[in-house]
């Protein structure tokens, strides 16, 4: 008999997604293929994944079950469903069509499925065997599979083959019904179906209508709608042993398999989270093992849930020694681990020791273990004294007697709490620790409680004298000391904050405020400072747990608990304890070993996010970001005002100002940076004065909160800013060089020997307070840069000294020695301040870059002053992951990456390749920045739809291995190519993607029409190209492994080309080669102490069978010859 040719699978357009080095799969498409009735087109046309292989496959006889991609995935422990029969059949669409189409049909014990091809992973349709009512022959080689509401017609190649199929189907139906009678499982109207873990409607990319999706056991099933779900007729199902789920955005997620990517969208973010949880549970189920469960089910009572009686329970409480189903396990888990320790029989493999399995089986078959259980349930102490010093506890007695099962049971119940009858009563305390007993009593003056903050001064007449008693965790206040019934009471467990206003804030000199969970504020007052201090300490001890008792060792202005988020644990808020003292905020977190102080005046950012109902206070310090949430509005507003006040400048001295990282006042920092950016070339800078009114307003805003002031060119003139800086330095009560040392500095300027004078300056510099010393260095460093442009700004060293001498030494301008000190410090800047070559080089690079950008006109008219504040995200673009960071001209991508990780306290593990990416949302592409690339030029070129994000470069290790193993420094091959016609006005006739041959070498990227071409159609200099991973979806790229190449011409015109590779590995190789040739072979830092460890130089053992070496013409000839006749190059080997 002649073998029938397999019909070629129909071509299906595929929806593609943004290319990524992480993505191996392709998108689904809902396009129909015209082989089913109109109603079924969008659902039966599910594209299928097949084996990605170029090997030839022999046609198998239809009576033999051929291997299938989804049969027994490697590494999975899910039992393989036995295939009863598989082969080719002709299928007739419904509605009386006479056109038969060839389908690969597979029958197993549960389902009848048909596919486009025997290599497809996912079916076009599946029919539950339990739903088939009967099978009937209908003419020549035809037979029908009949369900309650559908009839499926098939045609075999012969009557013999039809008979075999009908017999196989009837046998499968009989077995299914026998199993159903045994298990009595008729759930959801489908005989033999299993209760789903989650079911509902989801959008699937590529389909117009929603699909009904069910997560059942270790599979995800897709149905046309709820009706067909009940009827057991579906589209396909996905084995989760080869699946992985990943969150995409707020409502979407991807289910990835080696064959396809299923992109789902839920109706809400909560629904998406529930679907993710269900699918992750299905993956765990698929990867689980039934060995332990089967051994425990060997005991007959263990075959049913101890609570509800459901069959085959796959969970257990290891301390109660009972087997329970999945749903009851959730109830047990809600009781807490102190009552029931729930473990899975299939997934928690390490828990199930041989002894524990025996104990669980013996608990239902022996009386001694059951008696022990009963005693513990009645309240017997697990660690009680046995009366025998050699075996003092029940566990020791069991060990002495060799009772291994009793030992195992007692071990698992060491921490078990006996449930009380009032266990449903809500807990009153937030902490499960016993607070120390504190008692105190005396008279206090109290006002009526308030529901809002006290903005106005409370007069003495508004206070009432009350006898107050603190004891047993309750603060009670009485009419007088003889009264029995209190007027009111405040429970310590309800106190959330204790605040101490400054003296004389209200009618009584010393007062304190108590905030409660009920959004009430209680104000108490006393005349005696000692008595007020004693009351504050006692109340603090009564409501602060031992975890945070170290906060009580210092006096505080405010103390209490607040919900917070910190580090990378941003999914769930925790409750921490905070203490505010001066400008220092101390915090104790549940997961931290000790308190963590924040210097509020040194914060890089203090901002409020969210709306009025859900406010979040954001504190950004150099090494971390802290989010404090306003769960209770009253005490949160009190904290907010107190922290803002503590973070502001407190006085006129330098040390009382808001400070930057280097102890430089933010006022000085803002002005110096603005003038560095906008005024270095301004004629007469610092000599000219600004407008008095503008200077005064600017200085007042800077003194109030310099951190929130962002100077912008166009809004502030450089002369106004320079005048504000001079006024601030001149008005310092103690002066920059301090009153005590001022004369010593002036005397040092008269030393004639230059070396001796410089040495004296260095000695005096060390004596200055730290903030003064840092400010002097920052200011002189700035003036050193200003005089470098004296040809343009007319401000040489002498002119600057004339201006700043009287300002810094607060003289009337008659003492020439003040100017001489400033002149000496500028001239000897490098020696006096011990500036090394690296620091000086970075400073010159930064200044040069700023001036070049201003000359070239790239600086924006609304650019922030000098700071170049940039928002950088960690791992993804979300409000809680953003970081605001200053970008100097010398900062590289590597330094920015380390800065972000350092702020968020993220540890760098081995093989973590953290990289800064430039993400272009409009183009749907991203570019990993080279570690040595300067960030500032990129920042100036970012559009409104672009941002920077620091995340792991998942493909870097594979690229480094490829570069270490390859031969030569060139890359060539075929790729799909398209140019941006909207920019060029030219392009290919159809505007689509076309096959082109590319050669990339150290100088250029060349495009050839075909492999045999000798003259390139296009050529681009490789150093001027920017390569982005990804191609925007609206261009409909042919594969999901593409990249966008951007070239900027000398006229600053941008041109774009889009290239697509056939495989992910090809994309990685091309991208790695681009990095290699653009950066002279240095793709990743070679020092392990930088962004990550250095990858050792490894050469792979395998070499290409046809090594391509020599000139480009020889390479093209070799490839052309191999394409024409692959064996021609091997005949002489």
């Amino acid at each position: 008999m002649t073998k029938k040719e397999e019909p070629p699978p129909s071509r299906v357009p595929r929806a593609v997604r943004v290319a990524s080095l992480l993505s191996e799969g392709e998108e689904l498409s809902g396009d129909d293929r015209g082989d089913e009735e109109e109603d079924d087109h969008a659902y039966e046309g599910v594209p299928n994944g097949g084996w990605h292989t170029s090997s030839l496959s022999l046609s198998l006889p239809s009576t033999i079950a051929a291997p299938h991609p989804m049969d027994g995935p490697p590494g999975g422990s899910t039992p393989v469903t036995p295939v009863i029969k598989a082969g080719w059949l002709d299928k007739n669409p419904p509605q009386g069509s006479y056109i038969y189409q060839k389908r690969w049909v597979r029958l197993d014990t549960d389902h009848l499925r048909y596919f486009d091809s025997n290599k497809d992973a996912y079916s076009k349709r599946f029919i539950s065997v339990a739903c088939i009512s009967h099978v009937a022959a209908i003419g020549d080689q035809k037979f029908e599979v009949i369900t309650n509401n559908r009839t499926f017609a098939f045609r075999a190649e012969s009557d013999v083959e039809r008979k075999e199929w009908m017999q196989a189907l009837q046998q499968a139906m009989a077995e299914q019904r026998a199993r159903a009678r045994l298990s009595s499982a008729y759930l959801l109207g489908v005989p033999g179906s299993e209760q789903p873990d989650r079911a509902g409607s989801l959008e699937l990319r590529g389909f117009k209508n929603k699909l009904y999706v069910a997560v059942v056991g270790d599979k995800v099933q897709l149905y046309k709608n709820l009706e067909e779900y009940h009827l057991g007729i579906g589209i396909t199902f996905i084995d989760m042993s080869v699946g992985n789920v990943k969150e995409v955005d707020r409502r979407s997620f991807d289910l990835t398999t080696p064959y396809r990517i299923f992109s789902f969208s839920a109706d809400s973010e909560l629904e998406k989270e529930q679907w993710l949880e269900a699918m992750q549970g299905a993956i765990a189920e698929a990867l689980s093992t039934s060995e332990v469960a089967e051994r425990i089910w060997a005991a007959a009572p263990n075959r049913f849930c101890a609570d509800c009686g459901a069959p085959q329970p796959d969970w257990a409480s290891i301390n109660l020694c009972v087997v329970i189903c999945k749903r009851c396990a959730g109830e047990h888990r809600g009781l807490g681990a102190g009552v029931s320790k729930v473990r899975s029989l299939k997934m928690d493999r390490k828990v199930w020791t041989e002894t524990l399995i025996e104990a669980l089986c013996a608990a239902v078959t022996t009386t001694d273990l059951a008696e022990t259980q009963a005693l513990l349930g009645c309240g017997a102490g697990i660690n009680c004294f046995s009366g025998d010093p050699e075996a003092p506890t029940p566990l020791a007695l069991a060990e002495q007697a060799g009772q291994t099962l009793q030992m195992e049971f007692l071990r698992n119940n060491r921490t078990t709490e006996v449930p009380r009858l009032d266990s449903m009563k809500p807990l009153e305390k937030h902490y499960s620790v016993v607070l120390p007993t504190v008692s105190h009593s005396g008279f206090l003056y109290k006002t009526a409680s308030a529901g809002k903050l006290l903005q106005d001064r409370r007069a003495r007449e508004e206070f009432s004298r009350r006898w107050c008693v603190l004891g047993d965790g309750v603060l009670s206040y009485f009419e007088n000391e003889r009264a029995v019934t209190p007027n009111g009471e405040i429970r310590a467990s309800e106190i959330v904050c204790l605040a101490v206003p400054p003296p004389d804030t209200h009618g009584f000199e010393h007062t304190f405020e108590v905030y409660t969970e009920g959004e009430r504020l209680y104000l108490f007052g006393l005349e005696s400072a000692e008595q007020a201090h004693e009351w504050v300490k006692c109340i603090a001890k009564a409501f602060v747990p031992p975890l945070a008792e170290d906060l009580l060792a210092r006096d505080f202005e405010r103390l209490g608990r607040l919900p917070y988020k910190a580090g990378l644990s941003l999914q769930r808020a925790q409750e921490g304890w905070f203490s505010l003292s001066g400008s220092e905020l101390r915090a104790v977190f549940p997961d931290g070993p000790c308190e963590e102080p924040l210097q509020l005046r040194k914060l890089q950012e203090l901002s409020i996010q969210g709306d009025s109902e859900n406010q979040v206070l954001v504190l950004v310090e150099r090494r971390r970001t802290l989010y404090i949430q306003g769960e209770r509005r009253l005490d949160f507003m009190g904290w907010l005002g107190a922290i803002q006040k503590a973070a502001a400048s407190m006085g006129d001295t330098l040390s009382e100002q808001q400070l930057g990282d280097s102890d430089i006042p933010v006022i000085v920092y803002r002005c110096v940076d603005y003038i560095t950016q906008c005024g270095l070339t301004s004629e007469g800078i610092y000599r000219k004065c600004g407008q008095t009114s503008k200077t005064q307003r600017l200085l007042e805003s800077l003194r109030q909160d310099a951190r929130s002031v962002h100077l912008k060119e166009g809004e502030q003139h450089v002369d106004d800013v320079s005048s504000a800086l001079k006024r601030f330095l001149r008005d310092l009560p103690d002066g920059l060089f301090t009153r005590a040392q001022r004369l010593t500095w002036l005397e040092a300027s008269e030393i004639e020997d230059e070396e001796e004078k410089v040495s004296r300056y260095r000695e005096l510099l060390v004596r200055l307070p730290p903030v003064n010393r840092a400010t002097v260095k920052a200011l002189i460093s700035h003036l050193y840069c200003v005089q470098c442009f004296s040809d343009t700004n007319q401000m040489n060293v002498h002119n600057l000294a004339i201006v700043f001498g009287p300002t810094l030494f607060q003289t009337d301008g008659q003492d020439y020695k003040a100017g001489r000190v400033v002149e000496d410090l500028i001239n000897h800047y490098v020696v006096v301040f011990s500036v090394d070559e690296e620091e000086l080089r970075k400073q010159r690079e930064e200044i040069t870059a700023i001036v070049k950008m201003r000359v070239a006109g790239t600086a924006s008219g609304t650019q922030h002053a000098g700071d170049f504040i940039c928002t950088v995200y960690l791992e993804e673009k979300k409000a809680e992951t953003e970081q605001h960071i200053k970008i100097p001209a010398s900062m590289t991508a590597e330094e920015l990456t380390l800065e972000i990780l350092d702020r968020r306290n993220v540890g760098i593990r081995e093989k973590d390749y953290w990289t800064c990416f430039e993400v272009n949302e409009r183009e749907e592409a991203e570019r990993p920045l080279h570690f040595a690339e300067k960030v500032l030029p990129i920042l100036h070129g970012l559009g409104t739809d672009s941002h920077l994000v620091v995340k792991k470069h998942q493909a870097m290790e594979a690229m480094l291995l490829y570069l270490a193993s390859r031969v030569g420094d060139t890359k060539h091959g075929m790729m799909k190519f398209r140019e941006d016609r909207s920019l060029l006005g030219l392009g290919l006739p159809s505007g689509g993607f076309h096959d082109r041959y590319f050669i990339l070498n150290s100088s250029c990227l060349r495009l050839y029409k075909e492999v045999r071409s000798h003259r390139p159609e296009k050529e681009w200099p490789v150093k001027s190209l920017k390569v982005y991973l990804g191609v925007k979806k609206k261009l409909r790229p042919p594969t999901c492994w593409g990249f966008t190449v951007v070239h900027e011409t000398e006229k600053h015109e941008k041109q774009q080309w889009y290239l697509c590779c056939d495989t992910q590995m090809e994309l990685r190789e091309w991208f790695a080669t681009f990095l290699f040739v653009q950066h002279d072979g240095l793709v990743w830092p070679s020092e392990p102490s930088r962004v990550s460890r250095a990858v050792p130089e490894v050469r792979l053992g395998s070499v290409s069978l046809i090594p391509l070496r020599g000139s480009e013409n020889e390479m093209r000839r070799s490839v052309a010859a191999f394409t024409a006749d692959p064996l021609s190059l091997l005949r002489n080997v």
Side-chain angles (χ1 to χ4, degrees), residues 971-978 988 994-1001 1003-1020 1059 1070 1111-1117 1119-1120:
K971 172 75 178 165
H972 61 92
M974 300 294 295
M975 283 190 286
K976 306 286 185 183
F977 168 76
R978 171 175 176 161
L988 302 170
H994 294 262
D995 288 323
R996 290 294 183 265
Y997 182 72
F998 289 86
I999 291 183
L1000 174 63
N1001 58 29
S1003 60
C1004 61
L1005 174 66
R1006 292 174 182 163
L1007 177 148
Y1008 297 84
K1009 188 170 184 179
E1010 55 187 24
V1011 176
R1012 296 177 182 274
S1013 301
H1014 295 283
R1015 178 169 298 180
E1017 289 185 345
K1018 296 181 182 294
E1019 184 173 328
W1020 306 284
L1059 296 90
W1070 276 104
S1111 66
E1112 294 178 6
N1113 289 332
E1114 290 173 347
M1115 290 161 62
R1116 285 199 300 276
R1117 284 197 294 271
V1119 174

Side-chain angles (χ1 to χ4, degrees), residues 643-798:
I643 290 175
Q644 287 177 328
K645 183 179 179 181
S649 299
M650 300 293 290
D652 294 328
T653 63
L654 280 178
S655 59
E656 293 176 318
Q657 306 300 312
Q658 292 178 343
L659 302 176
D661 292 338
S662 306
D663 282 342
I664 303 168
V666 178
I667 295 181
V668 177
Y669 202 74
R670 287 277 188 265
C671 296
V672 164
D673 276 357
Y674 180 81
I675 294 170
T676 300
Q677 180 188 340
C678 306
L680 284 180
T681 57
S682 175
E683 184 176 349
I685 185 66
Y686 287 118
R687 180 175 54 81
K688 294 181 180 180
C689 295
Q691 294 184 22
T692 305
S693 59
K694 291 184 178 180
T695 300
Q696 187 63 32
R697 283 198 301 270
L698 175 60
L699 186 56
E700 285 177 3
S701 61
L702 286 169
R703 279 177 171 159
Q704 186 174 358
D705 186 7
R707 190 183 294 107
S708 63
V709 176
H710 297 286
L711 305 175
K712 298 178 182 179
E713 189 174 8
E715 295 183 9
Q716 287 90 14
H717 193 274
V718 290
D719 293 335
D720 296 333
V721 178
S722 66
S723 296
L725 176 61
K726 289 187 294 181
R727 176 78 61 84
F728 170 74
L729 294 171
R730 188 180 221 2
D731 291 348
L732 288 173
D734 197 37
L736 183 60
F737 291 94
T738 71
R739 293 179 185 274
Q741 299 187 44
R742 187 181 305 165
L743 291 177
T744 315
W745 279 90
L746 296 176
E747 291 170 359
S749 66
E750 296 182 315
I751 299 175
E752 294 183 0
D753 184 73
E754 286 295 316
E755 289 188 8
E756 184 181 347
K757 181 164 59 173
V758 169
S759 177
R760 180 61 175 163
Y761 284 145
R762 288 167 62 93
E763 291 176 9
L764 295 175
L765 190 66
V766 175
R767 296 181 188 176
L768 288 176
V771 176
N772 296 59
R773 183 166 60 249
T775 306
V776 169
K777 180 179 179 180
L779 182 62
I780 299 301
S781 172
H782 169 64
L783 298 179
Y784 176 82
C785 295
V786 172
Q787 61 86 29
C788 290
F789 295 91
S790 58
D791 292 343
T792 306
N793 59 33
Q794 305 300 316
M795 294 299 291
N796 55 27
V797 175
H798 181 68

Side-chain angles (χ1 to χ4, degrees), residues 426-596:
L427 295 177
E428 293 182 344
K429 295 185 178 180
H430 291 261
Y431 289 82
S432 59
V433 295
V434 179
L435 296 176
T437 301
V438 182
S439 60
H440 194 63
S441 60
F443 280 104
L444 286 173
Y445 293 85
K446 175 186 173 296
T447 63
S449 66
K452 59 181 181 179
L453 293 179
L454 305 178
Q455 304 290 349
D456 302 325
R457 176 185 175 88
R458 292 298 174 97
R460 193 181 183 95
E461 294 76 20
E462 296 181 62
F463 287 81
S464 302
R465 188 171 184 258
R466 294 287 181 264
W467 176 257
C468 298
V469 177
L470 175 64
D472 296 326
V474 179
L475 173 62
S476 305
Y477 46 93
F478 301 79
E479 188 70 28
N480 53 56
E481 68 271 27
R482 296 181 300 277
V484 178
T485 305
N487 290 4
E489 61 183 25
I490 305 170
R491 292 186 175 276
S493 60
E494 296 176 353
I495 298 176
V496 295
C497 180
L498 179 62
V500 182
D504 205 29
T505 301
H506 298 288
F508 281 86
E509 185 174 359
H510 303 284
T511 55
F512 61 90
E513 300 169 347
V514 176
Y515 297 76
T516 65
E517 283 183 340
E519 301 277 349
R520 303 302 296 176
L521 187 159
Y522 298 83
L523 177 65
F524 298 90
L526 278 170
E527 287 293 352
S528 167
E530 292 76 13
Q531 291 180 14
H533 184 268
E534 186 65 24
W535 270 105
V536 167
K537 284 294 183 183
C538 289
I539 294 174
K541 288 179 181 178
F543 83 98
V544 173
L547 166 76
E549 62 185 5
D550 287 345
L551 296 177
L552 305 180
R554 302 173 180 83
D555 291 337
F556 53 85
E557 283 89 48
R558 190 168 287 265
L559 173 73
R561 51 183 164 93
L562 288 166
Y564 76 95
K565 295 181 181 179
L568 288 179
S569 304
L570 300 178
Q571 292 77 21
R572 183 176 60 87
Q574 301 183 69
E575 199 163 54
W577 288 87
F578 296 85
S579 168
L580 178 63
S581 178
S583 63
E584 189 174 76
L585 180 67
R586 295 184 175 272
V588 174
F589 301 146
D591 54 355
C594 58
E595 52 188 282
E596 306 174 10

Side-chain angles (χ1 to χ4, degrees), residues 789-923:
F789 295 91
S790 58
D791 292 343
T792 306
N793 59 33
Q794 305 300 316
M795 294 299 291
N796 55 27
V797 175
H798 181 68
N799 291 341
L800 289 171
I802 291 174
V803 172
F804 275 94
T807 298
L808 300 183
F809 285 92
Q810 300 173 333
T811 63
D812 55 4
Q814 301 300 319
D815 194 344
Y816 69 92
K817 290 179 287 188
R820 182 179 292 178
V821 172
V822 175
E823 190 170 349
D824 289 339
L825 292 177
I826 297 174
N827 285 327
H828 301 288
Y829 161 68
V830 175
V831 180
V832 172
F833 297 97
S834 305
V835 181
D836 57 25
E837 293 183 6
E838 181 65 18
E839 184 179 352
L840 195 61
R841 181 186 63 78
K842 284 187 177 182
Q843 186 177 352
R844 286 172 177 168
E845 284 182 359
E846 183 174 352
I847 299 303
T848 304
I850 291 172
V851 172
K852 280 184 178 179
M853 280 190 290
R854 291 189 62 79
V855 171
T858 57
S860 168
T862 58
Q863 174 62 46
H864 286 195
D867 288 353
F868 292 103
I869 299 295
C870 174
T871 300
V872 183
Y873 299 91
L874 181 61
E875 295 194 309
E876 58 182 329
K877 186 180 179 182
K878 294 170 79 174
E880 57 264 30
T881 64
E882 66 181 23
Q883 293 288 313
H884 305 289
I885 185 169
K886 178 201 170 193
I887 310 291
S890 59
M891 177 175 276
T892 63
E894 178 192 13
E895 292 169 343
L896 174 61
T897 302
L898 289 174
E899 175 74 15
I900 294 296
L901 297 180
D902 192 33
R903 278 192 185 189
R904 300 301 292 271
N905 199 22
V906 178
I908 303 175
R909 296 174 297 182
E910 191 177 15
K911 295 187 179 180
D912 279 356
Y913 294 91
W914 288 93
T915 307
C916 183
F917 284 76
E918 174 193 349
V919 179
N920 189 321
E921 295 174 348
R922 180 171 59 85
E923 292 293 331

Side-chain angles (χ1 to χ4, degrees), residues 41-243:
H41 278 172
Y43 302 96
E44 294 202 350
V46 179
N48 296 289
W51 292 110
H52 303 291
T53 174
S54 56
S55 59
L56 301 176
S57 59
L58 299 174
S59 299
L60 298 172
S62 62
T63 54
I64 301 176
H68 187 268
M70 295 300 288
D71 286 348
S77 59
T78 306
V80 179
T81 305
V83 178
I84 299 173
K85 188 170 177 60
W88 291 102
L89 289 174
D90 294 328
K91 182 185 176 296
N92 184 21
Q95 306 302 330
S97 172
Y98 292 100
I99 302 172
Y100 279 85
Q101 289 146 343
K102 208 166 190 65
R103 294 285 178 260
W104 178 259
V105 185
R106 297 176 70 245
L107 172 66
D108 56 42
T109 54
D110 297 319
H111 300 96
L112 175 68
R113 293 185 285 169
Y114 56 89
F115 306 78
D116 273 332
S117 164
N118 63 341
K119 293 183 180 180
D120 288 349
Y122 300 112
S123 61
K124 293 176 66 60
R125 277 293 207 185
F126 72 83
I127 309 156
S128 174
V129 172
C131 297
I132 301 174
S133 56
H134 66 280
V135 182
I138 52 166
D140 297 339
Q141 295 102 38
K142 301 175 188 174
F143 64 94
E144 289 181 336
V145 177
I146 302 168
T147 67
N148 290 335
N149 76 329
R150 284 285 300 270
T151 299
F152 298 84
F154 295 94
R155 183 175 65 190
E157 290 188 355
S158 66
D159 289 335
V160 174
E161 188 179 354
R162 178 183 64 177
K163 183 179 179 181
E164 291 174 354
W165 273 104
M166 292 178 65
Q167 288 176 347
L169 281 164
Q170 289 163 353
Q171 179 189 348
M173 291 164 57
E175 292 175 356
Q176 179 66 240
R177 286 166 184 162
R179 289 199 305 272
R181 280 194 298 271
L182 289 174
S183 62
S184 300
Y186 285 82
L187 303 174
L188 297 176
V190 182
S193 67
E194 185 182 347
Q195 181 79 12
D197 295 310
R198 181 165 182 81
S201 297
L202 284 175
E203 294 177 14
L204 179 59
R205 187 181 296 174
F207 290 91
K208 294 179 182 178
N209 300 324
K210 287 185 177 181
L211 299 185
Y212 194 81
V213 182
V215 181
V216 182
D218 60 353
K219 290 181 175 58
V220 174
Q221 301 172 349
L222 306 183
Y223 296 86
K224 176 181 174 181
N225 50 42
L226 177 60
E227 180 186 0
E228 291 204 347
Y229 167 67
H230 285 302
L231 294 170
I233 302 172
I235 301 170
T236 190
F237 55 78
I238 305 153
D239 189 338
M240 297 301 281
S241 62
V242 294

Side-chain angles (χ1 to χ4, degrees), residues 627-645:
Y627 300 88
I628 298 177
Q629 296 184 332
E631 184 180 48
R632 297 169 299 271
R633 181 169 178 78
L634 182 61
D635 69 298
F636 176 75
M637 295 306 295
W639 276 104
L640 179 60
I643 290 175
Q644 287 177 328
K645 183 179 179 181

